[in-house]
Amino acid sequence: MNMKEYIDEAEAALLHTYNRYQVVLDQGEGVYLYDIEGKKYLDFVSGIAVFALGYQNKEYNDALKAQIDKVIHTSNYYYNVPAIEAAKKLKKVSGMDRVFFTNSGAEAIEGAIKAARKYAYLKDGQTDHEIIAMEHSFHGRTMGALSVTGNPKYREAFQPMIGNIRFAQINDLESVKAQVTEKTCAILLETVQGEGGIYPAEEEFLKQVRALCDEKDILLILDEIQCGMGRTGTMFAWQRFGVKPDIMTTAKALGCGVPVGAFLMTEKVGQHSLTSGDHGTTYGGNPLACAAVSKVLDLFEENHILENVNSVGEYLSRKLDELVEKYDVFTAHRGVGLMHGLVSGQPVGDIINRALNNGLILINAGPNIIRFVPPLIISKENVDDMIAILEKSIAEE
Ligand SMILES: *Cc1c(COP(=O)(O)O)cnc(C)c1O
């Protein structure tokens, strides 16, 4: 079958919840993807901030193959070595104390919400606690995660949401304070907002929110699902500022392609929230997923991923600044490490489609922003190639 035929079959069989780009991807190699007709694409999306180590990393693939040949799944009612190894390593890189593995980012958010509510419940026995989340945030598509997602468009048809969620503005402490009541149990935010348009939380804001939480025994939940796992140049974005959350979520690059997420907490929250019988998952943290996590964390260290993010990230940032100078269509650039947004005064869909046609995979973050979340192994030469294709795609208008 050719590409067109596959796409027709897809549209006849899959539920149409995505307006997909007109390409059937087939293979990956390093920072490149190939479609089923053999056309090569430079990948600056990495499956939306997932495939951090690049495609066909031999050590990663070998670790998965070895685990497949041992056992793929057991159950959380038994211990398994990959989960123990993965949890130990995740604790070490995060400085958090307790790990619960999930199958996705949204599930990690669900778990974080439950842990925060239980923590507050154990304090006062009440069942009407409130959570403050941010406008323009994105936390996932399940009902709890959707309820804290600050985008009314995603929520509207699915009302009612879970109750007692209030919204504030990121980087506006007063707006947060205005939502705090004696029922507030948690403040939830992405350390760098991803889907909402690449808005990094400012250091001062984070520190003040942390102080506010400490003062009132409110839990700070940082969603590091997109901005974590090295993307901003530290393992987790909050580590740049030393503002430690009480609960943290991770997913996307955690397994580099194998579906896995986690929520982590401090010992204090761990001792006073979810306990036996409170939460569970059949697949979450199964040996295959955890073999991936474990190997990913090893490879981050062995391959000096953070150093690469810092040096290439700075280069990418400079190059994107230059585009803002050079082209009137771009009005601003935001981002940190290898997580950037190029802001336009108009929709960017056409530029992204032309880039795809020219062999470059990009994606938007909101209608007017081109998002850059490449594999964390990209080189400066890859950045130069990306910029050349992007400029060509701009000129084709
Ligand atoms: C992608 C994302 C999620 C949801 O993760 P899924 O694995 O798609 O459920 C939650 N929070 C943030 C910040 C994300 O980027």
Side-chain angles (χ1 to χ4, degrees):
M1 278 199 289
N2 67 25
M3 198 118 86
K4 171 82 173 60
E5 288 163 338
Y6 270 119
I7 290 173
D8 288 345
E9 293 213 326
E11 291 303 333
L14 294 167
L15 187 66
H16 189 89
T17 54
Y18 286 92
N19 290 322
R20 291 183 163 88
Y21 293 99
Q22 297 298 296
V23 59
V24 183
L25 295 171
D26 187 44
Q27 270 197 55
E29 168 102 61
V31 296
Y32 298 100
L33 282 165
Y34 296 82
D35 69 23
I36 53 164
E37 291 170 356
K39 181 171 167 180
K40 184 178 180 180
Y41 301 85
L42 176 59
D43 179 18
F44 264 66
V45 175
S46 56
I48 312 198
V50 169
F51 236 110
L53 295 168
Y55 304 98
Q56 303 298 343
N57 180 295
K58 187 173 181 324
E59 286 175 75
Y60 171 83
N61 284 7
D62 286 348
L64 288 187
K65 287 174 194 165
Q67 189 59 46
I68 286 170
D69 288 337
K70 284 176 98 176
V71 67
I72 293 175
H73 179 81
T74 52
S75 156
N76 279 312
Y77 282 105
Y78 314 98
Y79 298 100
N80 75 76
V81 175
I84 297 164
E85 291 293 329
K88 254 173 36 189
K89 290 172 191 173
L90 202 48
K91 277 180 60 170
K92 182 159 169 247
V93 293
S94 67
M96 305 297 284
D97 301 311
R98 298 274 162 186
V99 183
F100 184 102
F101 287 111
T102 65
N103 307 288
S104 68
E107 279 177 78
I109 294 291
E110 299 291 333
I113 292 171
K114 281 179 74 175
R117 282 187 167 182
K118 180 78 189 285
Y119 179 87
Y121 172 80
L122 288 177
K123 270 196 313 189
D124 62 14
Q126 301 298 308
T127 54
D128 58 353
H129 297 108
E130 297 173 349
I131 294 173
I132 300 172
M134 301 298 136
E135 302 284 358
H136 308 296
S137 62
F138 181 83
H139 298 292
R141 303 294 198 148
T142 54
M143 289 309 299
L146 195 56
S147 301
V148 289
T149 287
N151 184 337
K153 191 185 78 192
Y154 289 162
R155 296 197 305 259
E156 177 166 337
F158 310 102
Q159 302 283 357
M161 297 288 111
I162 68 165
N164 293 13
I165 309 296
R166 292 164 168 264
F167 288 97
Q169 298 286 340
I170 194 167
N171 296 330
D172 179 351
L173 184 71
E174 291 312 312
S175 78
V176 177
K177 282 185 172 164
Q179 299 302 329
V180 173
T181 74
E182 72 285 358
K183 294 179 189 170
T184 308
C185 70
I187 298 174
L188 163 66
L189 63 132
E190 297 158 84
T191 322
V192 181
Q193 285 189 337
E195 307 297 314
I198 318 292
Y199 286 96
E202 287 158 11
E203 176 167 7
E204 201 46 36
F205 173 75
L206 271 183
K207 288 188 165 154
Q208 286 167 334
V209 170
R210 177 70 271 178
L212 179 66
C213 288
D214 289 341
E215 184 195 329
K216 300 188 181 292
D217 199 18
I218 293 169
L219 299 180
L220 176 61
I221 308 175
L222 292 179
D223 180 349
E224 291 264 342
I225 290 168
Q226 188 160 160
C227 63
M229 291 300 291
R231 183 143 302 272
T232 67
T234 48
M235 203 60 190
F236 296 101
W238 56 264
Q239 290 168 330
R240 287 188 306 138
F241 305 140
V243 174
K244 192 176 170 183
D246 302 292
I247 302 175
M248 179 194 105
T249 58
T250 172
K252 289 200 163 82
L254 179 63
C256 278
V258 171
V260 61
F263 62 99
L264 291 83
M265 56 189 75
T266 59
E267 192 64 18
K268 180 184 85 170
V269 181
Q271 292 301 332
H272 302 280
S273 63
L274 302 177
T275 182
S276 17
D278 275 346
H279 198 56
T281 160
T282 298
Y283 286 138
N286 86 9
L288 182 63
C290 286
V293 173
S294 191
K295 188 46 102 176
V296 165
L297 291 171
D298 287 347
L299 291 173
F300 261 70
E301 196 171 318
E302 286 162 26
N303 296 344
H304 309 290
I305 295 294
L306 298 180
E307 285 91 325
N308 193 62
V309 172
N310 284 313
S311 72
V312 181
E314 199 188 308
Y315 186 70
L316 173 62
S317 185
R318 240 181 14 245
K319 291 284 157 185
L320 294 176
D321 281 342
E322 284 171 22
L323 292 186
V324 175
E325 288 280 301
K326 189 165 165 188
Y327 295 96
D328 288 342
V329 286
F330 299 124
T331 54
H333 153 238
R334 290 188 292 268
V336 54
L338 287 174
M339 180 172 187
H340 291 267
L342 192 54
V343 184
S344 173
Q346 58 203 62
V348 292
D350 288 346
I351 294 178
I352 291 175
N353 274 314
R354 290 198 295 269
L356 184 68
N357 201 37
N358 292 326
L360 169 64
I361 295 185
L362 293 171
I363 201 157
N364 60 313
N368 293 3
I369 298 169
I370 304 178
R371 175 169 26 168
F372 302 83
V373 283
L376 302 184
I377 57 162
I378 59 155
S379 64
K380 291 179 183 165
E381 292 70 41
N382 297 144
V383 172
D384 289 337
D385 290 348
M386 182 278 287
I387 296 285
I389 301 176
L390 181 55
E391 292 206 70
K392 176 171 180 242
S393 308
I394 296 163
E396 279 168 2
E397 192 175 11

